[in-house]
Amino acid sequence: MNYEVVTLQEKTLTGIWVRTDNEEPEMMEKIGGLWQRFFGGDLEKIPNRKGEAVYGLYTNYQKDNTNVYDAVVCCETDGVQEVSGAYKSVVVPAGKYAKFTFHGDAEKDTGAFWMEVWNTPLARSFTCDFEEYLPCADCHNAEIAIYVALADLCQSCGMPMTEAEHYGTNADGSKNGEYCCYCYKDGAFTADCTMEQMVDFCLNIGMESGMYADREAAKKEMMLYFPTLSRWKNA
């Protein structure tokens, strides 16, 4: 599945919400009900709206998309709004997102589009994912953009850093945003090694966990990928 990696600025979305999960029998009915309410008058009740796009936002994941999360039908607003319990404002964090672009029926096809996204291997952060619907003349032939928040990747070993404890530390004890806790601690790399030695180390872990079936093919791919990481770009 083709996508592009884009960098988004922080934005605030405000709308009506429900807590659900993908295994709940009433999930589609709940989310569909939000859209009906949103366009049935709730949109006009949101103060300080910005732009004309509307969004289907998924956030506050218990763990990942197989567990409970908040579904929010919303629009962009000028900052966090003081709203009632039926509404909520969500700050979508700045960062890198995988952007998927689809064309189809906004009402009928979006679920199938998400299935394609779920089947695409991604290092997801599970912070905020969303659909963006721009104004169009024909909602049955709409352009739908789906944005999936990407995890920070360790720039030494490529490990997704999805939890605070995954990050390495600087000399002053603060979080280092580039490297994981296994590669970087107290302002220094934990191992003095070559790129190929790091590849072999990560490959051994991957083989033991069953991540890779073909060691030779996996190493070939990793030797192409690792030079894109900051630690090895000039190695």
Side-chain angles (χ1 to χ4, degrees):
M1 186 68 210
N2 293 327
Y3 62 90
E4 60 177 320
V5 176
V6 298
T7 301
L8 300 183
Q9 299 302 309
E10 180 182 285
K11 69 172 67 178
T12 302
L13 303 180
T14 302
I16 53 177
W17 68 286
V18 69
R19 190 134 178 95
T20 186
D21 70 74
N22 292 337
E23 300 301 321
E24 184 180 15
E26 297 82 18
M27 182 267 290
M28 293 296 292
E29 182 179 346
K30 283 185 174 182
I31 296 177
L34 289 180
W35 284 104
Q36 291 179 0
R37 287 171 47 202
F38 188 76
F39 287 116
D42 284 359
L43 169 61
E44 283 69 30
K45 299 176 184 177
I46 299 173
N48 301 311
R49 300 190 300 274
K50 291 175 60 178
E52 298 184 31
V54 295
Y55 301 86
L57 172 70
Y58 309 94
T59 188
N60 196 19
Y61 292 93
Q62 184 179 57
K63 183 179 180 183
D64 55 32
N65 62 284
T66 64
N67 290 272
V68 293
Y69 55 86
D70 292 345
V72 191
V73 175
C74 48
C75 61
E76 187 174 1
T77 55
D78 187 13
V80 174
Q81 304 300 305
E82 293 186 9
V83 288
S84 68
Y87 294 79
K88 71 160 45 182
S89 286
V90 178
V91 177
V92 179
K96 291 184 178 180
Y97 291 75
K99 179 184 178 182
F100 299 80
T101 302
F102 301 94
H103 291 85
D105 190 308
E107 182 178 349
K108 297 180 180 179
D109 296 336
T110 304
F113 295 156
W114 270 109
M115 288 297 294
E116 294 186 50
V117 172
W118 291 335
N119 289 328
T120 302
L122 293 171
R124 297 177 59 181
S125 67
F126 295 102
T127 51
C128 290
D129 308 314
F130 58 91
E131 309 140 15
E132 179 184 54
Y133 302 91
L134 298 174
C136 64
D138 182 8
C139 68
H140 301 296
N141 187 29
E143 179 174 297
I144 304 166
I146 293 179
Y147 293 84
V148 177
L150 298 176
D152 290 331
L153 299 179
C154 174
Q155 295 300 299
S156 172
C157 70
M159 185 187 90
M161 299 182 291
T162 58
E163 305 287 344
E165 56 266 26
H166 291 168
Y167 290 85
T169 53
N170 297 314
D172 61 1
S174 61
K175 183 184 81 170
N176 181 279
E178 278 197 292
Y179 300 109
C180 74
C181 59
Y182 303 108
C183 291
Y184 201 78
K185 185 177 180 181
D186 298 332
F189 290 110
T190 57
D192 182 13
C193 61
T194 66
M195 186 189 78
E196 186 167 4
Q197 288 172 329
M198 177 63 76
V199 166
D200 286 332
F201 177 78
C202 295
L203 189 54
N204 289 339
I205 295 174
M207 294 298 294
E208 290 175 4
S209 67
M211 184 182 300
Y212 308 119
D214 185 327
R215 184 184 181 92
E216 184 176 342
K219 182 168 183 176
K220 184 177 180 180
E221 291 184 9
M222 293 168 75
M223 290 296 291
L224 292 174
Y225 170 67
F226 269 59
T228 68
L229 301 175
S230 295
R231 184 179 182 183
W232 313 113
K233 280 184 177 179
N234 299 316

